[in-house]
Amino acid sequence: WFVLESKMASRGTCKSACRSFVCFLLVGIVSPASSPLYKLVPTWPLVPSHFQAQEFSTGVLVSGDVDEVFVAQRGNVSTKMLVFSEDGAFLRSWDTEEIDMPHGTRVHIPVGKTAADAQIWVTDVGSGPWGHTVKAFDRIGNQLHVLGTPGIAGTGTNPVQFDQPADVAFNSAGEMYVVDGDGGLNNRLLKFSPDLKLDWTIGGKGNKTGEFFIPHSVEVDRFGQVWVADRANNRTQVFTGGQQPKVIGQWTSCFKGDGPYSVRFSADKKYVLVIQLNLSRVLILAAPSKPGFLGNCTVIDTIQMAPGVKPHLLSVSKSTGAFYIGEIGANQSQKFVPLHR
């Protein structure tokens, strides 16, 4: 199943296509811009039959001669992570019992290290023996770090406990931000030092400034500001990322039809890429040009997928500018590439 770019889509024309003997109605890219900013790569990956379950999230590692896209999948399968090249070749998989139900995925190279030392961080929302944790693995799936109390949901901070942690992000200093969680007890943003010590938390369930209702995704922009997809409040909130968090502002006007599920920045930092799962849509928003001021939420372009695809979380290649989406309705991951680079 996949989505096809079609200039005819804006005139109400749909096309159908088949892949792996499954036919799906295609709607295409609906673009407020004069021309689309991204196009689908329908041949990625080269062998889509590797997808065996719901594909929840992706992470990209491109550095030197390393070129890897990690796709986390959830379901009645032992393979919890698939690894492809950016060209679509299947490289390897992780068959592991140390992940119950993967949710978010983030590739991080520690400060002063190389791609060989890359960490693949996975948030686990499962209720099994490894659930309610944030974990780091090496590139082949060996576990490196575990935050939280495996298998036990909680609200504690000493030791740290999570309840369905959703996503993680890193700033340039190697400090980590975690949004916790995906509908559980906690609705908070946590900051950890590079040695994984808790620095601060902010949040609580609610719709006031600084509160959250299902904080589902987190990202750090080029100014070090921390963006949170406050999903059930239909907004993104932005905070300073320093010693004490302060609210910079929020966007609400772009998310009337559905809350933001994933927030990432394009490789050139010009755009904020936001997924709306229930609308099967990716919004491409104008990114703020200076720190401390968000301005209005402005939609530059839209990628409209077929109903039922349910895009969940995405990741961006800093090298090629491509982004990869985990889709829990279509049980696949798709690649989109920029048209203007």
Side-chain angles (χ1 to χ4, degrees):
W1 301 5
F2 58 99
V3 182
L4 185 66
E5 177 190 357
S6 172
K7 294 182 180 178
M8 297 294 288
S10 62
R11 298 196 291 269
T13 300
C14 297
K15 297 182 179 181
S16 63
C18 291
R19 189 175 188 177
S20 302
F21 309 103
V22 180
C23 290
F24 204 76
L25 190 64
L26 305 181
V27 178
I29 294 180
V30 179
S31 174
S34 57
S35 62
L37 296 177
Y38 291 87
K39 70 174 182 178
L40 173 74
V41 180
T43 56
W44 193 95
L46 299 176
V47 183
S49 60
H50 287 291
F51 299 136
Q52 303 168 354
Q54 289 183 311
E55 313 308 317
F56 262 73
S57 58
T58 65
V60 185
L61 172 62
V62 179
S63 179
D65 59 354
V66 178
D67 162 22
E68 297 173 343
V69 180
F70 296 81
V71 181
Q73 66 176 5
R74 180 195 302 183
N76 189 25
V77 291
S78 59
T79 300
K80 298 300 174 61
M81 189 71 73
L82 304 167
V83 188
F84 301 91
S85 71
E86 283 216 86
D87 290 334
F90 177 73
L91 301 178
R92 61 186 176 276
S93 62
W94 301 357
D95 289 354
T96 177
E97 296 180 353
E98 295 176 335
I99 301 175
D100 287 337
M101 295 177 65
H103 190 271
T105 303
R106 176 76 71 164
V107 174
H108 171 60
I109 300 177
V111 176
K113 301 293 185 179
T114 67
D117 305 300
Q119 300 171 350
I120 317 303
W121 285 85
V122 178
T123 63
D124 195 328
V125 299
S127 57
W130 284 102
H132 303 298
T133 52
V134 177
K135 298 181 281 276
F137 298 84
D138 66 15
R139 291 164 51 206
I140 61 174
N142 297 311
Q143 192 178 97
L144 303 173
H145 304 289
V146 179
L147 294 178
T149 306
I152 300 176
T155 62
T157 57
N158 187 21
V160 172
Q161 293 178 301
F162 300 109
D163 187 1
Q164 301 180 51
D167 195 19
V168 305
F170 291 85
N171 64 18
S172 59
E175 296 169 321
M176 181 171 70
Y177 300 88
V178 179
V179 281
D180 176 34
D182 184 28
L185 294 169
N186 306 317
N187 287 270
R188 61 187 180 182
L189 169 68
L190 305 91
K191 179 188 176 185
F192 293 86
S193 65
D195 59 355
L196 305 180
K197 301 294 192 300
L198 180 63
D199 284 343
W200 51 252
T201 69
I202 188 173
K205 186 175 181 179
N207 58 15
K208 296 178 181 178
T209 300
E211 296 179 335
F212 305 108
F213 187 13
I214 309 183
H216 195 261
S217 180
V218 62
E219 179 65 300
V220 179
D221 66 18
R222 56 179 167 164
F223 308 116
Q225 300 171 150
V226 183
W227 292 63
V228 176
D230 192 3
R231 192 183 93 190
N233 281 326
N234 286 42
R235 65 184 180 184
T236 56
Q237 293 196 74
V238 184
F239 301 83
T240 58
Q243 295 302 313
Q244 292 296 327
K246 296 180 180 178
V247 179
I248 294 172
Q250 64 180 18
W251 280 349
T252 60
S253 62
C254 293
F255 313 118
K256 299 299 185 183
D258 190 25
Y261 275 70
S262 181
V263 57
R264 294 291 189 266
F265 284 85
S266 61
D268 59 11
K269 310 304 181 184
K270 292 181 179 179
Y271 307 112
V272 187
L273 309 176
V274 177
I275 284 176
Q276 293 178 296
L277 179 143
N278 294 300
L279 299 178
S280 290
R281 183 166 74 180
V282 180
L283 297 177
I284 302 169
L285 312 176
S289 60
K290 59 183 179 180
F293 178 74
L294 300 185
N296 295 325
C297 184
T298 303
V299 179
I300 302 299
D301 202 358
T302 302
I303 299 175
Q304 182 63 59
M305 300 180 177
V309 169
K310 294 185 177 181
H312 185 247
L313 292 170
L314 66 82
S315 63
V316 177
S317 169
K318 296 179 181 179
S319 174
T320 65
F323 65 83
Y324 300 82
I325 303 177
E327 299 169 357
I328 62 176
N331 292 355
Q332 66 179 8
S333 178
Q334 295 194 105
K335 176 182 180 178
F336 291 83
V337 295
L339 289 171
H340 311 287
R341 276 179 67 86

